[in-house]
Amino acid sequence: MKSISGFSKLSKTGKLRWVAENFFKAPKLVASELTSFWHGDNHQQKVFDDFSENTLSNYYMPYGVAPNFIINGKTYCIPMVIEESSVVAAAASSAKFWATRGGFKAEIIGTTKIGQVHFTWEGSSEKLNAIFPDLKAALHEKSADLTKNMRNRGGGILSIDLIDMTHLEENYYQLKVKFETCDSMGANFINSVLERFGQILQTFMFSSPAMKGKERDVIIIMAILSNYTPECLVRAYVECPIEDLGTFDGGKTSAELFAYKFDKAVKIANIDPYRATTHNKGIFNGIDAVVLATANDFRAVEACGHTYAARDGQYRSLTKTSIENGIFKLWLDIPMAVGTVGGLTSLHPLAKRSLEMLGNPSAKDLMSIIATVGLAQTFAAVKSLTTTGIQKGHMKMHLMNILNHLEATEKEVNQAVEYFKERIVSFTSVREFLNNSREVVVINN
Ligand code: MEV
């Protein structure tokens, strides 16, 4: 494989040509294919190009919607960006199911975010604790210029704590800082404040008359937000009398049996990490799709969700169920650090439209919407798993992918959809079906 120095300094076309020529058998074809995915409007393309380094083209993903979501009595049409067949359909079917059973409910449990300044210091922790009140005052005072706008919006620094970690790592301490970042995800704000805190801490210790010799030297290891935000938490839930659940799988599964199996399925995900991982993946199918559609940071949301799922030391289901006094309840508690201002939310044209479609929500509203879609998604997945099985619906959607791959005509698509209604879909079976029908056409001609 070829390598190159100064790649980032090449023009976009130069980069594209270099990649096409060095890694593909048909460079001209590949270059023109990649170019064909450029946006028709140069100005818009420049905006996409500037999101990242070394952009060659745009990578298309389906942008769909799941309508009829009732959340806290309000109806939403929810934008979703996802490539996996059946995720949007599943969300939409859950939305329809719960619309006639009281809809989804969501409540914000907290919105606090966290950042840390990690540092080492060789003095005694008593001495550090003794000067901490003065240090804390200096941290607030000397970062006031950075926090002013956020304070005006009702947010800012909530608390600053000194954490002694020396029992785990020699000389290691943290400043643990809690923030309220209002409608922004707040990463840039938090990181700017933390980096300033690092400087303030060093200067403060260096110039403190109470410190002697080595005590004046603080080594800042790093200053960065934590993507683990267990206090930026939302709960989404659904509940209804068991008999209102109705029957499933053409009447084969009664409401009682469904509630029993669903409850057990969630409990299994709670005790078995193998199942928990797949169960939570089903939740993130919905969550990631909305996080992406609104240009939020899906890696942060995922990382945090998985840490939260393992908060007691074992990886568990993010959802819980209860069956009490004849009421079936399913709920999802999930940390959700997202924003509706700042970042790419207004730079990405479709993210902007997504937010508009959602009625320009506050960050709290968006937390509720995203958690609800995660809940809806797992409801649909576990409903299928505990009744018909997942493959029936899944392969029906996948059929279109296979037909597109095999370049089926519209007529062939219609015939295949009819033929596979009651048959097992696989790549081989679809190819055989198409080959057979194409042979028949040739013979008849
Ligand atoms: C597939 O993308 C997601 C599921 O596996 C989730 C689950 O098993 O709960 C169906």
Side-chain angles (χ1 to χ4, degrees):
M1 285 286 171
K2 292 259 168 47
S3 62
I4 181 173
S5 78
F7 180 75
S8 66
K9 295 194 181 66
L10 293 179
S11 69
K12 183 174 164 188
T13 322
K15 287 173 188 162
L16 209 158
R17 195 178 308 126
W18 184 83
V19 171
E21 279 169 4
N22 286 289
F23 300 94
F24 293 92
K25 290 196 188 88
K28 282 208 171 104
L29 184 81
V30 169
S32 88
E33 189 175 280
L34 287 177
T35 311
S36 75
F37 289 105
W38 287 1
H39 199 282
D41 173 343
N42 287 341
H43 171 73
Q44 188 56 67
Q45 185 55 50
K46 174 91 174 63
V47 173
F48 290 138
D49 289 351
D50 290 347
F51 286 165
S52 173
E53 274 278 297
N54 297 344
T55 308
L56 301 182
S57 188
N58 304 310
Y59 185 97
Y60 283 25
M61 293 266 275
Y63 178 86
V65 293
N68 307 322
F69 262 87
I70 300 180
I71 308 172
N72 295 338
K74 206 170 152 189
T75 305
Y76 292 91
C77 177
I78 301 185
M80 300 175 77
V81 172
I82 182 132
E83 86 299 347
E84 185 175 328
S85 353
S86 81
V87 166
V88 174
S93 91
S94 259
K96 195 169 162 202
F97 183 93
W98 285 104
T100 53
R101 292 165 177 84
F104 296 90
K105 309 269 174 13
E107 57 198 37
I108 302 297
I109 299 169
T111 56
T112 300
K113 292 170 185 138
I114 288 173
Q116 298 159 308
V117 180
H118 305 269
F119 66 97
T120 58
W121 188 66
E122 290 191 24
S124 80
S125 46
E126 288 77 18
K127 208 161 175 183
L128 200 53
N129 276 316
I131 54 104
F132 186 61
D134 288 344
L135 170 63
K136 197 150 96 170
L139 291 169
H140 278 291
E141 191 195 323
K142 294 185 189 309
S143 63
D145 58 319
L146 291 180
T147 59
K148 187 167 174 240
N149 281 346
M150 194 58 88
R151 280 184 282 122
N152 287 341
R153 283 154 55 192
I157 297 163
L158 301 178
S159 64
I160 309 171
D161 287 304
L162 173 66
I163 315 285
D164 184 344
M165 304 288 281
T166 53
H167 58 296
L168 294 173
E169 182 64 35
E170 199 178 20
N171 302 327
Y172 168 39
Y173 297 85
Q174 290 178 2
L175 292 177
K176 188 172 181 188
V177 190
K178 293 193 177 176
F179 296 90
E180 170 57 56
T181 60
C182 305
D183 281 334
S184 65
M185 193 265 193
N188 283 332
F189 167 72
I190 293 174
N191 289 335
S192 301
V193 171
L194 293 171
E195 287 190 1
R196 175 74 66 81
F197 275 15
Q199 294 157 5
I200 300 167
L201 171 61
Q202 274 184 318
T203 314
F204 182 90
M205 296 295 274
F206 191 76
S207 53
S208 168
M211 298 300 155
K212 304 272 174 294
K214 276 203 159 260
E215 288 173 346
R216 304 176 86 194
D217 296 331
V218 168
I219 299 177
I220 305 296
I221 307 296
M222 57 193 159
I224 183 77
L225 63 73
S226 170
N227 284 121
Y228 185 43
T229 57
E231 292 172 46
C232 185
L233 192 66
V234 53
R235 169 171 294 182
Y237 63 97
V238 283
E239 61 185 338
C240 74
I242 291 177
E243 66 265 24
D244 289 359
L245 288 166
T247 59
F248 299 85
D249 200 10
K252 283 187 221 149
T253 309
S254 69
E256 288 72 25
L257 181 59
F258 173 74
Y260 172 82
K261 288 177 82 175
F262 200 107
D263 182 55
K264 279 284 180 258
V266 174
K267 291 196 161 80
I268 290 166
N270 202 44
I271 55 178
D272 174 24
Y274 285 92
R275 176 58 204 150
T277 307
T278 319
H279 179 87
N280 290 345
K281 188 271 183 183
I283 297 169
F284 279 106
N285 273 345
I287 287 183
D288 285 357
V290 189
V291 172
L292 256 176
T294 55
N296 272 284
D297 184 343
F298 63 93
R299 286 86 57 211
V301 172
E302 281 260 1
C304 181
H306 295 301
T307 309
Y308 191 72
R311 64 194 177 283
D312 72 0
Q314 186 188 315
Y315 190 85
R316 297 182 190 281
S317 160
L318 285 161
T319 54
K320 297 259 171 4
T321 39
S322 69
I323 297 178
E324 277 167 25
N325 305 320
I327 304 287
F328 170 85
K329 182 168 178 177
L330 167 70
W331 70 97
L332 165 69
D333 286 349
I334 188 156
M336 188 64 61
V338 290
T340 55
V341 297
L344 293 192
T345 52
S346 54
L347 275 180
H348 196 295
L350 290 184
K352 211 164 128 185
R353 291 293 176 219
S354 295
L355 291 169
E356 193 180 342
M357 196 187 301
L358 294 171
N360 291 320
S362 64
K364 284 182 182 170
D365 290 339
L366 187 59
M367 288 168 74
S368 299
I369 292 165
I370 295 172
T372 298
V373 178
L375 184 78
Q377 207 68 51
T378 188
F379 178 76
V382 177
K383 175 158 87 67
S384 295
L385 287 170
T386 54
T387 56
T388 54
I390 204 75
Q391 282 309 84
K392 201 173 167 194
H394 203 84
M395 291 318 282
K396 211 167 90 191
M397 297 298 294
H398 194 47
L399 175 62
M400 293 315 290
N401 285 343
I402 301 174
L403 288 167
N404 282 338
H405 184 88
L406 296 170
E407 296 179 355
T409 62
E410 199 181 327
K411 192 168 163 212
E412 287 171 335
V413 168
N414 291 336
Q415 287 169 341
V417 167
E418 194 51 39
Y419 180 83
F420 282 102
K421 257 188 187 149
E422 297 303 328
R423 290 179 173 85
I424 307 253
V425 175
S426 72
F427 192 84
T428 314
S429 64
V430 177
R431 192 174 43 200
E432 265 171 22
F433 169 80
L434 284 181
N435 285 346
N436 288 340
S437 63
R438 283 168 185 172
E439 268 169 29
V440 170
V441 171
V442 171
I443 289 166
N444 286 346
N445 285 339

